[in-house]
Amino acid sequence: MNANLALRRIFATLAIGASMLVTAQAQTLSFTLHEHLIIGDDEEAPFENLFYYPEIIRTDSRGNIYVKDARSTAVRVFDANGRYVTTVGKRGEGPGELREVFGMHVDGDDRLIVADRMSRRLTIFTDMGKSFATKSLAEDGRTIQPRPILSLDNSFVLMYVTLFPNPEGGPSIKDDRVLHTHDMDFNRLETFAQLGDIYDLDDPFLNAFSTSPSGMKVATNGTDTIVLAPTVYSGYIYRYTRSNDMWVMEKLKGGPVPKRSFMPVSKKDIDTNEDVKRGAVTLSRSTETYRARILSRSDGVAILSTGEILHFPVRTPLKQDFEPQAELFNQNGDLVGYGQLQFDNPELNGNARVMESISIKWIDAADRLYLVRRNSKGFFVLSVANLEISSE
């Protein structure tokens, strides 16, 4: 059988059968997004159907879509066809009200779990907000700030770094473990995954960026596997697998990356150079401000129903358009292939502003991807897409 034909058959639908492909070397592949639902594309639509920026997206067992927008404390719910259903929560400090949402999840029982930093509590809504319960976010007097919350088998995994008061004053002391499992009542069970395994903490910028809300992308298979992808991407993602009551880490090597994943820049560089500004990050800490232009970043990671891993890196070279990519790893953690991420719509592929804005937010049980991008007029929309993978 012709090798290219075999690949096309294997990848005719969303990565089905990719783990059966035995290769000595990763293939160059095409990753094509086929959008079948877009929410927020009609600027004349009611307010509930428009977004400033959809920060967090989840789905429930009935296909309903839950969206936390950047400029709202509430969570909007849409049905599987994109029709607005209801809004859960409202701004306030009372029971069932929200002040600053920084984590949101829908579990296997279709409970909506919202982490509120200002109120220092989790609010757990049932039946789309008709009833709720609360749980403190404090542990030993410290407030935890999970970003994000994901389901495991009869438990949850939360990603956060705990800060301890410095007895000598000055900057807080941070606990460098980032993954924490909790039982169904959100009592902490265990803590694992060292920041130093994922980021070079000897570098001042990476040290500061590693604990920022956008420092890492995370995904689970819902049972025994967690994948972390550092946003400043140097060519590796990290898989944690539960084995013999322990979490075992594997460092998975991806495709080609730039020689430098970031470059330090000054405030003047950001203010005067548009090429630098487009991919620049500024972090202010108690002792110093760090600025860098990220040249290689991760924009999302997902574990497929087959156990394979999809990773979405972006090359952000100076004086060129951003280059959205995708990488496919098999169940053994080997890189099967990598290549350009594109839409089946040539107009979108030809719009640099659209392609630069793609961010993968969620994958559901049917392997549908939920992503955020700009539309042709520059507004952010929520897109639901199937992914076709084929050989070039």
Side-chain angles (χ1 to χ4, degrees):
M1 181 182 293
N2 179 277
N4 286 338
L5 178 59
L7 273 173
R8 286 193 178 95
R9 288 185 177 180
I10 289 171
F11 293 111
T13 56
L14 178 58
I16 291 177
S19 62
M20 297 186 293
L21 179 66
V22 179
T23 61
Q25 186 174 357
Q27 308 289 312
T28 300
L29 303 172
S30 293
F31 296 82
T32 305
L33 292 162
H34 296 268
E35 295 182 308
H36 58 83
L37 177 63
I38 301 173
I39 306 175
D41 202 29
D42 179 7
E43 59 184 295
E44 301 299 325
F47 167 80
E48 291 83 0
N49 293 74
L50 301 174
F51 305 110
Y52 177 76
Y53 182 80
E55 283 184 308
I56 312 173
I57 300 169
R58 293 290 189 271
T59 53
D60 67 16
S61 63
R62 293 167 289 181
N64 294 311
I65 305 167
Y66 297 70
V67 184
K68 163 61 179 68
D69 191 61
R71 286 194 172 176
S72 173
T73 56
V75 176
R76 279 180 263 173
V77 185
F78 302 85
D79 69 16
N81 296 312
R83 293 186 292 261
Y84 171 75
V85 176
T86 189
T87 296
V88 181
K90 63 179 181 180
R91 182 177 293 276
E93 301 181 22
E97 296 177 338
L98 308 168
R99 295 178 64 191
E100 184 183 358
V101 174
F102 58 92
M104 185 267 284
H105 184 58
V106 179
D107 70 6
D109 294 324
D110 290 345
R111 300 185 305 169
L112 173 63
I113 302 157
V114 180
D116 188 331
R117 186 177 74 88
M118 294 295 291
S119 296
R120 300 187 177 187
R121 67 190 179 199
L122 292 163
T123 301
I124 304 166
F125 296 97
T126 55
D127 198 14
M128 290 192 183
K130 293 181 180 178
S131 59
F132 62 88
T134 59
K135 171 76 175 180
S136 173
L137 280 172
E139 288 186 352
D140 301 326
R142 296 180 297 274
T143 301
I144 63 174
Q145 301 180 21
R147 287 179 182 258
I149 305 165
L150 294 167
S151 291
L152 288 172
D153 190 15
N154 296 318
S155 62
F156 299 95
V157 60
L158 282 62
M159 189 181 78
Y160 59 87
V161 174
T162 305
L163 298 178
F164 298 84
N166 190 331
E168 299 179 358
S172 298
I173 301 170
K174 72 185 174 188
D175 180 345
D176 287 340
R177 294 170 295 178
V178 296
L179 294 178
H180 310 260
T181 58
H182 292 246
D183 64 19
M184 298 302 287
D185 294 321
F186 284 95
N187 300 303
R188 187 161 61 89
L189 299 173
E190 57 187 343
T191 298
F192 60 102
Q194 300 292 323
L195 265 181
D197 292 335
I198 301 160
Y199 276 111
D200 177 7
L201 300 184
D202 291 330
D203 182 278
F205 169 71
L206 292 180
N207 194 329
F209 188 76
S210 67
T211 57
S212 71
S214 58
M216 278 172 277
K217 313 301 181 185
V218 62
T220 78
N221 66 348
T223 54
D224 59 0
T225 302
I226 303 166
V227 176
L228 285 177
T231 301
V232 182
Y233 179 58
S234 61
Y236 292 92
I237 63 174
Y238 302 83
R239 180 169 67 179
Y240 296 82
T241 306
R242 186 75 170 168
S243 177
N244 296 324
D245 295 326
M246 294 180 60
W247 288 96
V248 179
M249 187 196 80
E250 301 166 90
K251 189 175 180 180
L252 309 185
K253 182 173 176 55
V257 294
K259 291 182 179 180
R260 292 189 297 173
S261 56
F262 73 97
M263 55 182 278
V265 295
S266 66
K267 184 177 185 300
K268 182 179 179 181
D269 292 331
I270 295 174
D271 291 342
T272 60
N273 188 324
E274 284 298 319
D275 291 320
V276 169
K277 182 178 180 179
R278 284 173 67 208
V281 171
T282 300
L283 298 170
S284 295
R285 295 295 186 258
S286 57
T287 56
E288 194 170 349
T289 296
Y290 305 95
R291 298 179 180 87
R293 169 65 155 82
I294 298 179
L295 303 173
S296 175
R297 72 169 190 249
S298 170
D299 261 356
V301 64
I303 302 177
L304 299 171
S305 59
T306 57
E308 294 134 340
I309 300 168
L310 278 171
H311 178 232
F312 300 94
V314 179
R315 296 177 183 174
T316 61
L318 289 170
K319 299 182 179 179
Q320 296 180 40
D321 290 338
F322 287 14
E323 302 171 9
Q325 308 279 318
E327 298 173 336
L328 178 67
F329 299 82
N330 65 20
Q331 293 174 349
N332 295 325
D334 303 315
L335 181 67
V336 174
Y338 57 88
Q340 182 179 0
L341 181 67
Q342 59 187 356
F343 293 93
D344 62 342
N345 183 341
E347 291 185 9
L348 295 179
N349 295 330
N351 189 321
R353 195 177 186 190
V354 170
M355 301 306 291
E356 178 179 326
S357 66
I358 298 171
S359 183
I360 309 298
K361 298 294 187 180
W362 182 244
I363 186 169
D364 66 17
D367 289 339
R368 288 181 290 257
L369 294 174
Y370 294 74
L371 60 100
V372 174
R373 65 166 177 84
R374 291 188 186 273
N375 63 10
S376 59
K377 297 181 180 179
F379 299 105
F380 282 106
V381 299
L382 188 164
S383 165
V384 185
N386 292 320
L387 183 64
E388 178 187 356
I389 307 175
S390 61
S391 63
E392 291 191 342

